[in-house]
Amino acid sequence: MKRFIIQIAIFSVIACALVYVSGNILYYFINKSGYNFLNNADYKVTESIIRSRKHIKVKKLVLGDSVGTSLYGDCKDSCVYCLAATVAITPVGHYLLCANFFENNKEQLPEEVVLILNPLCWTNTMEGGLFYSTFTKNFFNDEFIGYLDKEEVEYLNGESFSKLCNQRWYQLTPYVPVLHQTQDRGVGISPIQYKYLLRTKQLCEANGVGFRLLSGPMRESLKEAVAEVFSSNPHFQTTLLSGYFDSIQYLNDTDFCDQLHLKQDRVPKDFFCLYNDK
Amino acid sequence: MTINSIPFLFFFIIVFLLYYISQKSAKAQNFILLLSSMFFYGNADWRMLILMAVSIFVIWWLGTMIEMCMVQKREETANKFVIIGIIYGVGLLFYFKYLNFFILSFETLFYKIGLISNCYVFDIIMPLGISFFTFRMLSYLIDIRQKKMISASFIDVATYISFFPCILSGPIDRSVTFIPQLWKPRKFEYSLGVEGCQQLLWGMFKKMVVADGLSLFISRDIATSTGSTLFIVAIMYSIQIYADFSGYSDMAIGVGKLLGIRITRNFHYPYFSRSVAEFWNRWHMSLLGWFRYYIYFPLGGSRCAKSIVIRNTFIVFLVSGLWHGANWTFVVWGIFHALLFLPSLIKREEYNPNVNIVYKKRDDAPYKWKDIFNVVLVFMLITVGWIIFRCESISEAGMYMAKVCSPSLLSKPAGVMWALPSMVFAVIMFAFEWKQRKEEFPLINFSNYKVVRWGVYLLLILTIVYYQGKPADFIYFKF
């Protein structure tokens, strides 16, 4: 028994040291190359964070969910820069990416920020199933914490393992246990989403940058569901959001490979005509 | 608290220490196991603890009564107690798992023949692992009746039925192999402990890297996906269900070994099988063993007329299908596998009690090059079975297969490139298993050098840390 416990203890120490060292080395290479070869499920977030640190002059900054990624993720146009990641980071994450990009490009801010969000995810909160893996682990560190309100910082502090978020190896792990999670997300728009959506808009206005909130194309069959969302909350009738609902383009269901994403061969080169709008 | 989670690690460290502190007394160790099993089960669903406690009491009492009747030569009364036990166990399963299924099936039938029906469907919460612990309960009673087992103390029976590594997804040990281990104090054995850790690590790799990694890609909308995509997804599901379930079994067996308890092996590299019969000797071995001992053999097994053997085989597969869940897809899946068995049953010689036929056991025969074709063929047939198994309804399975057989099978598959790392790990898993196929699990005896062994363990840990997939429930939890 004694021999077993000693061996397990030695092995555990070596394993922990190896994870720590390898995490730092991998983190260095990933940041240097900008390519996350770990292929984590949240690798788009890591990729977007790395891109938000770049010093680059662009005209349009694209933020948003995976539909935004599918539309502009492979963008070759030098005037459009895509930081879109996933819906799971909610507008809080989109705001942080935007703020970080502005901070790193104070002298050369973009002309416009385009936020692409799916209309069926407005109820997402900080307790969503993937929020910890995609948001907390990536954003709850010294680089981003200053952009968050005290309220959110306090909430995130209460999450298990939040103290590890400054560790590089930990940031590279794809999934971590989520202990706080709620299934009941209510209807309409969650207060946290509205708050940070508004903050993104205010940040843009304060820096003289234009702001547009758009939805990716939706399936024809989801028209009713979207209409239901629109009528579910008074916030959607406000100027900030009503235009967003009017601009939704509905396409044939057969153009989609799942509920939200267009089939690869149906993705237009420039869905929102951002390239022509130089 | 799943077996591969951090809370379980803390829970297990406490149990492990308490367990071996009390290693002088088997009773104390069993009591600790029982308490921890109740805590583990209650943590998953505390509402079902009462049901579990009542069931254990009923089974223990019936076991005692059966033995008492047998001692007093009251064989018929003993049989009656066995029947009561079977009715109780099957009744539990029927109520919690199948009642609504039968109600809805009859409602559909009545509707089709023009009878008005508006049946009441019960709001029933199915206890976790009910199919697993019910089979353990029945095993105990039947083993006593068959004189393979003597009645055990309440704590021993309760520990056997509720043993925490196995309660949610098996393996389903027979009482005759499990309970006698509880009678002696378990002293820590270094080699068994190391083996347990190795098996636990291998199971975690299979579950967290391969199965969870693939789970992200296997949900597809049949209507909008191409045949080629669905074909690849079907293959991925075959790999996922194996990595998920055998991964869990490896973890459970590993935890058992750390506690000095040997649990029945559940998988023996099933995807290297050269025939469907061989596959069923290697897949979910504890369940098939259960069916063999308690259904197939009492029905006559293979030592009877060919037609009876065919009937017995169909019964076993039908029950096996239904055991998995209350859906017609599982019934069809069972029949599908029975049909795959049919050619070998038809080909076999008629049983003659006067001639002792010695069947060659092919499972251990060395592989030849020509076996590659058989292995691939068996894998593809099993994959077809998994399509039926996985779909929500028979019509959905039909649609799935029609799509796979459509010209779109030749088109470029969409969205499967993301699964490439998980597929690479699946290939590594199979390659390692192939190399070590003669061992119980691949991490045993793979190198004489400690540096190499530790290097591989560390590599597996790094892979789990950096490449684990989104944590998904174990597929067999729902059964």
Side-chain angles (χ1 to χ4, degrees):
Chain A
M1 178 72 134
K2 197 176 161 191
R3 186 176 155 210
F4 177 78
I5 289 176
I6 290 171
Q7 294 229 9
I8 284 282
I10 294 171
F11 182 80
S12 304
V13 170
I14 296 174
C16 289
L18 193 70
V19 168
Y20 182 81
V21 173
S22 64
N24 279 280
I25 295 170
L26 288 172
Y27 188 90
Y28 173 79
F29 279 115
I30 287 168
N31 275 277
K32 193 90 176 160
S33 64
Y35 175 65
N36 188 354
F37 47 85
L38 289 178
N39 199 20
N40 299 346
D42 61 344
Y43 82 107
K44 275 283 163 205
V45 184
T46 316
E47 218 172 75
S48 296
I49 289 174
I50 294 169
R51 285 168 70 84
S52 78
R53 293 178 191 140
K54 286 233 167 100
H55 200 63
I56 186 168
K57 183 164 174 59
V58 291
K59 287 195 175 176
K60 310 277 177 187
L61 180 68
V62 176
L63 297 164
D65 55 18
S66 54
V67 177
T69 314
S70 70
L71 295 177
Y72 288 98
D74 298 325
C75 170
K76 300 282 184 291
D77 190 287
S78 60
C79 296
V80 177
Y81 194 64
C82 183
L83 296 184
T86 160
V87 71
I89 61 172
T90 75
V92 191
H94 304 311
Y95 166 76
L96 296 185
L97 286 171
C98 183
N100 207 37
F101 184 81
F102 280 14
E103 182 65 31
N104 292 317
N105 291 280
K106 275 180 194 157
E107 314 302 322
Q108 44 181 5
L109 291 172
E111 285 174 9
E112 189 182 34
V113 167
V114 178
L115 179 55
I116 301 170
L117 283 175
N118 156 21
L120 299 177
C121 293
W122 288 113
T123 50
N124 280 356
T125 62
M126 293 175 96
E127 288 157 347
L130 288 175
F131 189 80
Y132 194 94
S133 285
T134 55
F135 180 88
T136 315
K137 201 159 54 63
N138 289 300
F139 291 101
F140 195 55
N141 51 50
D142 294 343
E143 184 177 5
F144 292 100
I145 208 163
Y147 300 121
L148 289 167
D149 274 2
K150 199 181 158 196
E151 217 180 312
E152 279 76 65
V153 174
E154 266 172 23
Y155 173 78
L156 294 170
N157 258 325
E159 289 280 302
S160 36
F161 308 108
S162 63
K163 298 283 178 288
L164 287 173
C165 291
N166 263 318
Q167 295 289 329
R168 287 165 176 183
W169 67 267
Y170 188 68
Q171 287 174 25
L172 294 180
T173 56
Y175 288 100
V176 280
V178 184
L179 299 184
H180 304 183
Q181 218 187 100
T182 171
Q183 294 301 319
D184 181 21
R185 296 188 298 187
V187 288
I189 181 166
S190 66
I192 190 82
Q193 294 227 42
Y194 190 73
K195 179 178 171 182
Y196 277 87
L197 192 62
L198 213 58
R199 284 188 75 166
T200 313
K201 193 184 179 219
Q202 286 162 352
L203 176 75
C204 292
E205 281 171 356
N207 286 284
V209 177
F211 176 76
R212 254 199 293 174
L213 175 63
L214 297 167
S215 159
M218 296 293 290
R219 292 170 82 119
E220 189 77 43
S221 58
L222 290 174
K223 220 170 186 171
E224 270 180 40
V226 175
E228 224 170 276
V229 172
F230 182 63
S231 57
S232 67
N233 193 294
H235 278 312
F236 291 132
Q237 325 289 338
T238 59
T239 358
L240 174 64
L241 281 155
S242 61
Y244 160 81
F245 278 91
D246 294 340
S247 72
I248 297 175
Q249 294 186 45
Y250 293 94
L251 302 177
N252 267 337
D253 283 12
T254 50
D255 291 340
F256 291 79
C257 64
D258 56 24
Q259 277 294 88
L260 293 170
H261 303 89
L262 284 170
K263 284 178 182 163
Q264 221 158 9
D265 55 336
R266 303 289 163 91
V267 176
K269 203 178 165 200
D270 182 12
F271 190 78
F272 294 116
C273 303
L274 302 181
Y275 303 164
N276 303 330
D277 197 16
K278 290 171 189 169
Chain B
M1 185 166 62
T2 52
I3 200 163
N4 55 334
S5 65
I6 291 169
F8 181 83
L9 177 72
F10 291 120
F11 162 76
F12 183 69
I13 289 172
I14 296 167
V15 173
F16 181 83
L17 292 174
L18 289 175
Y19 185 74
Y20 283 111
I21 285 170
S22 344
Q23 66 178 344
K24 283 185 183 157
S25 158
K27 277 185 184 170
Q29 282 187 316
N30 296 344
F31 187 66
I32 289 166
L33 281 186
L34 177 60
L35 276 187
S36 38
S37 297
M38 289 297 155
F39 176 80
F40 181 81
Y41 192 70
N43 190 265
D45 193 344
W46 62 268
R47 294 168 297 181
M48 294 303 162
L49 268 179
I50 297 167
L51 175 81
M52 169 71 83
V54 170
S55 299
I56 289 170
F57 181 78
V58 169
I59 294 302
W60 167 77
W61 181 77
L62 284 172
T64 314
M65 294 309 288
I66 291 166
E67 195 181 58
M68 202 173 79
C69 292
M70 283 162 67
V71 170
Q72 294 168 354
K73 308 276 180 208
R74 290 157 54 207
E75 303 293 331
E76 275 189 19
T77 320
N79 285 344
K80 279 179 192 163
F81 279 120
V82 174
I83 290 167
I84 292 170
I86 292 173
I87 290 172
Y88 178 77
V90 175
L92 273 184
L93 270 180
F94 182 81
Y95 175 74
F96 285 105
K97 209 167 168 178
Y98 304 106
L99 185 59
N100 282 339
F101 166 68
F102 283 112
I103 291 173
L104 290 170
S105 296
F106 278 118
E107 187 182 18
T108 314
L109 184 73
F110 288 152
Y111 182 77
K112 280 189 180 160
I113 57 172
L115 293 171
I116 302 162
S117 66
N118 194 9
C119 297
Y120 180 78
V121 178
F122 293 88
D123 188 15
I124 300 169
I125 303 165
M126 193 172 83
L128 277 169
I130 187 167
S131 309
F132 294 94
F133 71 72
T134 311
F135 271 36
R136 286 179 159 239
M137 297 191 311
L138 297 182
S139 166
Y140 174 67
L141 295 183
I142 300 170
D143 281 348
I144 291 179
R145 183 65 191 102
Q146 291 181 345
K147 295 180 184 164
K148 287 174 184 155
M149 181 69 209
I150 52 166
S151 71
S153 71
F154 178 76
I155 289 183
D156 290 354
V157 175
T159 308
Y160 162 63
I161 293 171
S162 66
F163 187 53
F164 68 88
C166 305
I167 195 169
L168 299 180
S169 271
I172 308 165
D173 276 286
R174 291 176 64 205
S175 67
V176 71
T177 61
F178 190 96
I179 294 180
Q181 296 186 67
L182 302 177
W183 293 338
K184 284 184 204 158
R186 273 80 60 196
K187 293 213 165 67
F188 184 78
E189 274 181 59
Y190 177 78
S191 56
L192 196 63
V194 171
E195 219 176 86
C197 289
Q198 291 169 331
Q199 197 156 3
L200 190 61
L201 180 62
W202 184 247
M204 284 170 84
F205 169 74
K206 283 207 273 191
K207 163 65 182 158
M208 295 167 81
V209 178
V210 181
D212 287 352
L214 289 173
S215 72
L216 282 175
F217 308 97
I218 55 143
S219 319
R220 296 290 162 140
D221 180 10
I222 299 171
T224 56
S225 299
T226 60
S228 55
T229 309
L230 293 178
F231 176 74
I232 292 173
V233 165
I235 288 175
M236 282 190 202
Y237 183 73
S238 290
I239 300 170
Q240 189 214 356
I241 194 168
Y242 166 67
D244 187 281
F245 191 22
S246 70
Y248 183 90
S249 297
D250 278 338
M251 285 187 261
I253 296 170
V255 169
K257 282 177 179 170
L258 279 164
L259 296 170
I261 292 174
R262 289 184 186 274
I263 298 169
T264 308
R265 188 177 183 182
N266 223 10
F267 290 88
H268 181 198
Y269 312 120
Y271 287 152
F272 301 151
S273 306
R274 289 156 285 193
S275 67
V276 176
E278 192 181 340
F279 174 82
W280 281 109
N281 281 333
R282 291 162 170 259
W283 178 275
H284 205 173
M285 291 149 78
S286 64
L287 178 73
L288 263 289
W290 198 98
F291 284 135
R292 198 175 292 134
Y293 286 115
Y294 303 120
I295 297 181
Y296 189 67
F297 290 164
L299 286 172
S302 315
R303 299 186 170 202
C304 41
K306 201 183 274 186
S307 56
I308 306 289
V309 177
I310 293 173
R311 183 206 67 182
N312 295 349
T313 307
F314 269 80
I315 289 174
V316 165
F317 278 104
L318 203 66
V319 177
S320 165
L322 262 176
W323 177 89
H324 282 88
N327 195 331
W328 289 109
T329 50
F330 294 119
V331 176
V332 173
W333 174 77
I335 294 171
F336 172 76
H337 275 280
L339 287 172
L340 293 181
F341 247 84
L342 208 52
S344 63
L345 294 176
I346 290 169
K347 264 199 290 181
R348 62 178 280 153
E349 285 174 44
E350 193 71 54
Y351 175 71
N352 182 347
N354 301 319
V355 180
N356 188 18
I357 303 169
V358 180
Y359 289 103
K360 275 187 190 170
K361 204 181 174 196
R362 254 203 96 197
D363 300 13
D364 298 328
Y367 283 82
K368 292 174 187 155
W369 280 104
K370 65 175 184 182
D371 286 330
I372 295 175
F373 173 76
N374 291 336
V375 169
V376 174
L377 181 69
V378 170
F379 178 77
M380 294 317 292
L381 288 171
I382 299 301
T383 299
V384 173
W386 290 136
I387 294 175
I388 305 166
F389 183 91
R390 188 191 163 198
C391 286
E392 293 290 315
S393 64
I394 295 164
S395 59
E396 192 187 313
M399 245 171 72
Y400 196 112
M401 281 192 259
K403 206 70 188 273
V404 170
C405 298
S406 72
S408 66
L409 178 66
L410 302 171
S411 64
K412 195 180 158 198
V416 290
M417 283 307 284
W418 298 113
L420 207 60
S422 304
M423 289 301 273
V424 170
F425 288 121
V427 170
I428 293 170
M429 173 186 82
F430 284 128
F432 208 23
E433 291 197 338
W434 173 258
K435 188 189 164 285
Q436 295 289 96
R437 65 187 178 278
K438 286 180 183 154
E439 303 290 349
E440 188 192 341
F441 64 93
L443 293 186
I444 285 190
N445 305 328
F446 72 92
S447 172
N448 292 327
Y449 302 103
K450 197 171 186 173
V451 181
V452 177
R453 289 201 305 271
W454 278 41
V456 171
Y457 304 152
L458 290 168
L459 212 59
L460 285 175
I461 288 176
L462 284 186
T463 314
I464 292 168
V465 170
Y466 294 122
Y467 280 100
Q468 62 172 298
K470 183 187 169 193
D473 275 350
F474 287 93
I475 296 174
Y476 265 68
F477 271 10
K478 62 180 177 220
F479 303 137

